[in-house]
């Protein structure tokens, strides 16, 4: 990324405006009752996310970076995500839709004035326009959250998008060997990387095999038809308890219909497409499938080595395809499409070893708990990452079709509870290399 102030100003403005266009799309396509409703206790009302976006922007860019007086200080406690669990947010004194739209618009107008006049240097929040990039990423993350709410929402379809192109260029090998050895994990140079991606450090990974594409619906269906949800030996104890307690038989939003399987996708009921990556599975389901298949989930370090390591140069790239920002030919990102692309798509986005769709399409569960890297330092606040470290959360990598490009890169780390199924998560599997593999 350039450090030229004018180029940074343009980049930051473009990222902020792209996020806002998406926010308007997600909140402008439904009527007021749907904005105010809580469509699932797992999610906030859409209008809460909308005003929270504005409040975070006001706190960080108007007040902290711009040094301006507080515009709506009374909203800070209402839209504090750590003070109010999602299930309780409808009871808060929330701004109505019209007032929330007006608030976020007023904040954004003032922020763009600050951006225009900033030297974009003079401290870690300003250097390389970090704070502006952080807020653009925050808004895109909430846009993904709102898209999840749209998926959980009952009623007719309100979102439309063209299907992703089927760019698959023929059958791929089932998996590839990723050579063992050291590589650089994380980053100390990516200007808009968040604290849990830092610092860069050396990791050693033993040789292993990794799927060339995420596990498809067709492959997952074989697990179902082989009695995968009836056999406790494939499941971690906590996962098997979830299966029994909730009667799980298939990914979330799937159901049997006339002997086949259909799914609900953003208000549309359709046959489950066999060639798409499986979606809406928990970590426990991914782990159970991998055991059934005689494989395992990749570790986070294995995933990142496959995504970033260039064996020809020994360096770690920003993305599987190189250092260039994502383009439409590389990956399915940014809600351009409302579904994953068929497994094997996006050949221009493959890694040097031939591993595809590591960025975009579906978040990929990894084997690891969410933990800090050696030398981690919380910045600019503990609540972004540090309070989530430990054994409760599992790491997801790679991003989904719902992730904005600004919030997705080879070092980006996501995390969630292993029971979560509403998120746009799938997985791929790995296996240890055998002696003599080449």
């Amino acid at each position: 990324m350039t450090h030229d102030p004018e180029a940074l100003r343009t980049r930051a403005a473009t990222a902020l405006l792209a996020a806002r266009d998406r926010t308007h799309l997600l909140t402008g396509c439904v009527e007021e009752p749907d904005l105010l409703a809580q469509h699932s206790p797992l999610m906030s009302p859409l209008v809460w996310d909308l005003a929270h976006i504005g409040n975070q922007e006001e706190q960080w860019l108007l007040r902290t970076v711009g040094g301006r007086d507080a515009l709506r200080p009374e909203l800070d406690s209402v839209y504090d995500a750590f003070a109010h669990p999602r299930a309780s947010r409808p009871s808060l004194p929330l701004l109505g839709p019209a007032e929330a739209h007006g608030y976020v618009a007023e904040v954004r107008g003032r922020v763009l004035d600050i951006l225009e006049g900033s030297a974009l240097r003079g401290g870690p929040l300003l250097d390389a326009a970090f704070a502006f990039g952080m807020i653009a990423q925050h808004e895109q993350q909430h846009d993904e959250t709102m898209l999840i709410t749209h998926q959980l929402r009952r009623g007719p379809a309100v979102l439309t998008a063209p299907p992703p192109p089927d760019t698959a260029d023929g059958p791929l090998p089932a998996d590839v060997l990723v050579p063992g050895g050291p590589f650089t994990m994380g980053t100390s140079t990516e200007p808009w990387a968040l604290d849990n991606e830092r610092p860069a450090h050396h990791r050693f990974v033993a040789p292993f095999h990794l799927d060339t594409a995420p596990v498809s619906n067709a492959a997952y269906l074989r697990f179902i038809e082989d009695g995968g949800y009836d056999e406790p030996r494939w499941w971690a104890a906590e996962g098997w308890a979830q299966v029994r307690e909730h009667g799980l038989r298939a990914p979330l939003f799937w159901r049997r219909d006339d002997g086949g399987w259909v799914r609900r996708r953003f208000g549309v009921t359709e046959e489950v497409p066999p060639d798409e990556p499986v979606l809406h599975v928990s970590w426990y389901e991914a782990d159970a499938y991998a055991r059934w298949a005689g494989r395992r989930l990749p570790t986070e370090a294995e995933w990142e080595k496959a995504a970033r390591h260039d064996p020809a140069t020994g360096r770690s790239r920003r993305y599987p395809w190189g250092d260039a920002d994502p383009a439409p030919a590389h990956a399915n990102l940014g809600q351009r499409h409302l579904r994953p692309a068929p497994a094997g798509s996006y050949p221009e986005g493959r890694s040097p070893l031939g591993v595809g769709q590591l960025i975009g399409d579906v978040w990929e569960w990894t084997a690891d708990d969410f933990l800090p890297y050696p030398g981690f330092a919380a910045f600019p606040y503990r609540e972004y990452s540090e309070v989530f470290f430990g054994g409760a959360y599992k790491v997801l990598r790679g991003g989904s079709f719902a992730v904005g490009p600004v919030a997705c890169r080879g070092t980006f780390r996501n995390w969630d509870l292993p029971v979560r199924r509403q998120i746009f998560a799938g997985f791929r599997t790995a296996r240890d290399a055998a002696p003599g593999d080449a």
Side-chain angles (χ1 to χ4, degrees):
M1 183 188 291
T2 178
H3 289 266
D4 174 68
E6 292 310 311
L8 282 169
R9 206 180 319 279
T10 299
R11 186 183 183 94
T14 299
L16 289 167
L17 293 172
R20 187 53 46 87
D21 286 346
R22 190 174 170 199
T23 299
H24 286 323
L25 173 64
L26 290 162
T27 56
C29 62
V30 292
E31 300 296 328
E32 184 169 312
D34 270 340
L35 289 173
L36 296 168
Q38 186 171 47
H39 298 282
S40 164
L42 296 172
M43 311 304 291
S44 310
L46 291 168
V47 76
W48 186 93
D49 284 290
L50 173 62
H52 171 77
I53 286 167
N55 183 250
Q56 285 290 104
E57 189 167 336
E58 181 191 346
Q59 290 191 54
W60 285 103
L61 299 185
L62 275 189
R63 302 181 202 168
T64 304
V65 170
R68 306 285 180 87
D69 291 338
L71 185 63
R72 298 289 299 270
E74 76 280 7
L75 299 180
D76 293 358
S77 61
V78 175
Y79 295 100
D80 184 338
F82 293 92
H84 307 291
R86 287 176 174 175
S88 68
R89 290 171 188 172
S91 64
L92 298 170
L94 304 179
L95 298 182
E99 191 175 5
H101 277 293
Y103 170 58
V104 299
E106 184 174 2
V107 170
R108 175 54 56 83
R110 297 185 184 206
V111 161
L112 293 177
D113 287 342
I114 290 169
L115 176 61
E116 182 63 29
S118 174
L120 301 180
R121 61 177 182 271
L125 282 174
L126 276 174
D127 290 347
F130 173 83
F132 296 93
M134 177 184 74
I135 289 298
Q137 292 179 79
H138 174 266
E139 182 162 355
Q140 286 281 7
Q141 289 167 334
H142 276 271
D143 289 339
E144 182 176 10
T145 298
M146 289 193 285
L147 190 62
I148 293 169
T149 302
H150 273 276
Q151 170 63 15
L152 290 164
R153 168 188 168 272
R154 294 287 181 175
V158 295
L159 294 169
T160 60
D166 185 351
T167 54
D169 55 354
L172 295 173
D175 64 17
V176 297
L177 175 67
V178 180
F183 82 107
T184 300
M185 186 171 183
T187 180
S188 297
T189 58
E190 184 73 26
W192 290 358
L194 303 172
D195 60 3
N196 62 61
E197 302 170 64
R198 301 173 182 270
H201 57 288
H202 293 296
R203 288 282 183 97
F204 180 90
V205 172
F208 68 100
H209 293 263
L210 185 69
D211 291 342
T212 55
V215 171
S216 69
N217 288 321
Y220 197 84
L221 185 57
R222 291 193 287 274
F223 167 67
I224 297 173
E225 292 176 340
D226 195 45
Y229 283 87
D230 298 312
E231 181 49 73
R233 65 182 166 137
W234 306 131
W235 297 81
E238 299 86 349
W240 182 244
Q242 289 286 314
V243 170
R244 305 299 291 169
E245 179 181 355
H246 299 287
L248 305 184
R249 308 299 302 168
L252 186 62
F253 307 116
W254 286 32
R255 63 176 174 83
R256 284 195 180 274
D257 183 68
D258 292 332
W261 288 93
V262 296
R263 70 178 182 186
R264 179 168 58 85
R265 182 181 58 84
F266 299 111
V268 175
T269 298
E270 60 190 14
E271 291 185 5
V272 171
D275 55 349
E276 281 186 15
V278 69
L279 192 63
H280 298 302
V281 289
S282 70
W283 184 90
Y284 292 122
E285 289 169 294
D287 178 62
Y289 173 95
R291 295 184 198 211
W292 168 82
R295 298 171 69 86
R296 59 177 174 79
L297 296 179
T299 67
E300 186 182 8
E302 287 174 335
W303 188 97
E304 187 167 326
K305 182 167 187 179
R308 299 185 62 213
H309 182 67
D310 183 352
T313 64
R315 62 180 292 268
S316 289
R317 301 169 162 197
R318 295 178 69 212
Y319 298 96
W321 56 84
D323 293 335
D325 288 341
H330 291 135
N332 180 8
L333 293 167
Q335 202 181 311
R336 290 194 307 271
H337 315 292
L338 289 171
R339 63 197 308 157
S345 297
Y346 297 99
E348 292 186 41
R350 291 177 192 151
S351 75
L353 294 172
V355 184
Q357 291 171 284
L358 286 157
I359 300 293
D361 286 307
V362 295
W363 286 107
E364 298 184 16
W365 290 110
T366 70
D368 288 353
D369 297 335
F370 184 49
L371 298 171
Y373 289 159
F376 167 84
F379 176 78
Y381 56 104
R382 291 185 61 249
E383 291 79 9
Y384 180 71
S385 302
E386 187 174 344
V387 298
F388 297 101
F389 290 146
Y393 295 88
K394 294 294 186 180
V395 175
L396 302 106
R397 300 297 296 262
S400 73
F401 66 89
V403 174
V406 72
C408 187
R409 50 196 160 262
T411 57
F412 194 93
R413 307 173 76 197
N414 190 10
W415 64 95
D416 214 325
L417 297 169
V419 299
R420 288 289 185 250
R421 308 174 84 217
Q422 82 275 16
I423 60 177
F424 300 117
F427 63 100
R428 73 181 73 217
T429 67
R431 63 183 173 94
D432 296 343
D437 280 352

